[in-house]
Amino acid sequence: MLKYSRQREAIKRFLMTRTDHPTADTVYVNIKKEFPNISLGTVYRNLSLLASLGEIAKISCGDNSDHFDPNTSPHYHFCCRHCGCVQDIPMPTVSMLNQEAQKQFDGQIESHSICFYGTCRECLESYDLSRQSS
Amino acid sequence: MLKYSRQREAIKRFLMTRTDHPTADTVYVNIKKEFPNISLGTVYRNLSLLASLGEIAKISCGDNSDHFDPNTSPHYHFCCRHCGCVQDIPMPTVSMLNQEAQKQFDGQIESHSICFYGTCRECLESYDLSRQSS
DNA sequence: GTGTTTGCAAACAATTTGCAGAATT
DNA sequence: AATTCTGCAAATTGTTTGCAAACAC
């Protein structure tokens, strides 16, 4: 049976204030402001617990740490090749992709994830600035 | 300047014999048959080198180790939730997705990756067998 | 009270790196 | 001869886990 924990609530509350899909470590350093003694292990334990309860989503976009997203409705992500930031992509999810993939595939497809890659606006701007100054 | 190495060639040659997208460790144990003294570090170094040269592709599908694919032309993957195997999905890549994602996004989108999740045929079969026997 | 959660530290897994010697050019 | 690559071991990074005390019910 699940018991209440102030740390878990704080972690979830913190995530909901953010749209940048923080990593476990970012959650840790931020939640420490409220719980100076909290341990990284507790953060990891609660993040996986919340993810397995379906209250948050875990995002693996190929940089070597997982990101966490308070928005559990299906949507796609962007990951900047330069700064590594992760952002939501505001576009409709293509559920037909599952059916399309299923056509030639003999296993059972249940879901998919899409990650777009490229350069985020901030990195584009700093690139423009460095070109102007050269 | 790049110099030839027998180990690197062997790693690439081994990958090309496989369609199951091995991990670095799988490459290591297999390449060891030919080079008993090869070290895991060398395997990792060559896999990243080959990937950055564009001669192989690195696949991160959310299980916590990277997989490597000798096929560098764009295509999608399936990752089994049960056994963790990684397979190719024979469907046309949807280049329009980049344009669709770009519409509402102020960064620069260059590419995307799609990973489908579910149950592979082998795992479906062993599930069927266990149902029959119960 | 019983069972869950925490903080701490140690353990783990995947990957990277420093270095001296071997291989390639 | 100059430079790159290798094997080895140690280091690093991200994440998980065992345990005793603290907390929730």
Side-chain angles (χ1 to χ4, degrees):
Chain A
M1 195 252 286
L2 193 66
K3 287 189 177 172
Y4 172 85
S5 113
R6 291 181 301 137
Q7 288 88 335
R8 188 184 314 128
E9 284 313 300
I11 288 169
K12 193 176 171 191
R13 210 177 327 111
F14 168 71
L15 267 187
M16 293 200 294
T17 68
R18 303 272 291 225
T19 58
D20 65 343
H21 315 83
T23 62
D25 196 68
T26 305
V27 172
Y28 173 61
V29 303
N30 280 277
I31 220 77
K32 244 185 159 166
K33 294 168 191 163
E34 191 177 346
F35 293 87
N37 292 326
I38 200 171
S39 80
L40 194 47
T42 298
V43 171
Y44 272 104
R45 265 187 292 237
N46 279 309
L47 287 172
S48 354
L49 180 52
L50 290 168
S52 68
L53 292 174
E55 297 189 28
I56 64 174
K58 186 199 286 203
I59 311 168
S60 311
C61 53
D63 67 339
N64 42 32
S65 45
D66 287 337
H67 296 251
F68 295 89
D69 189 342
N71 175 6
T72 59
S73 63
H75 61 286
Y76 301 142
H77 293 106
F78 168 86
C79 182
C80 178
R81 284 237 157 79
H82 301 270
C83 68
C85 73
V86 177
Q87 303 182 35
D88 285 332
I89 288 284
M91 71 182 269
T93 58
V94 192
S95 63
M96 207 178 53
L97 279 176
N98 286 354
Q99 292 140 52
E100 193 63 36
Q102 189 70 72
K103 281 184 186 167
Q104 302 282 334
F105 185 70
D106 53 7
Q108 177 64 48
I109 287 171
E110 286 157 11
S111 64
H112 69 265
S113 72
I114 305 187
C115 190
F116 294 92
Y117 300 94
T119 311
C120 73
R121 183 173 51 79
E122 284 75 22
C123 286
L124 280 178
E125 280 170 8
S126 51
Y127 176 66
D128 286 347
L129 289 173
S130 71
R131 290 203 57 195
Q132 283 173 12
S133 65
S134 67
Chain B
M1 194 254 286
L2 191 67
K3 287 187 178 173
Y4 172 84
S5 114
R6 291 180 302 136
Q7 288 88 334
R8 181 157 59 236
E9 283 313 301
I11 287 168
K12 193 176 171 191
R13 211 177 327 112
F14 168 71
L15 266 188
M16 293 199 293
T17 69
R18 302 274 292 226
T19 58
D20 65 342
H21 315 84
T23 62
D25 196 68
T26 304
V27 172
Y28 173 62
V29 304
N30 280 277
I31 219 77
K32 244 186 160 166
K33 296 168 191 164
E34 191 177 349
F35 293 87
N37 292 325
I38 200 172
S39 80
L40 194 48
T42 298
V43 171
Y44 272 105
R45 265 187 291 237
N46 279 309
L47 286 172
S48 357
L49 180 51
L50 289 168
S52 69
L53 292 173
E55 298 189 30
I56 64 175
K58 187 199 287 203
I59 310 168
S60 311
C61 52
D63 68 340
N64 41 31
S65 46
D66 288 337
H67 296 251
F68 295 89
D69 189 342
N71 176 5
T72 58
S73 63
H75 61 286
Y76 300 143
H77 293 106
F78 168 85
C79 182
C80 179
R81 284 237 157 81
H82 301 270
C83 69
C85 73
V86 178
Q87 304 181 35
D88 286 332
I89 289 283
M91 70 181 269
T93 58
V94 192
S95 62
M96 208 178 54
L97 280 177
N98 286 353
Q99 292 140 51
E100 193 63 35
Q102 189 69 73
K103 282 184 185 168
Q104 303 283 334
F105 185 71
D106 53 7
Q108 177 65 46
I109 286 171
E110 287 157 10
S111 64
H112 69 267
S113 72
I114 305 188
C115 190
F116 294 92
Y117 300 95
T119 310
C120 73
R121 183 173 52 78
E122 284 75 20
C123 286
L124 280 179
E125 280 170 8
S126 52
Y127 176 67
D128 286 345
L129 289 175
S130 71
R131 289 203 55 194
Q132 284 172 12
S133 66
S134 65

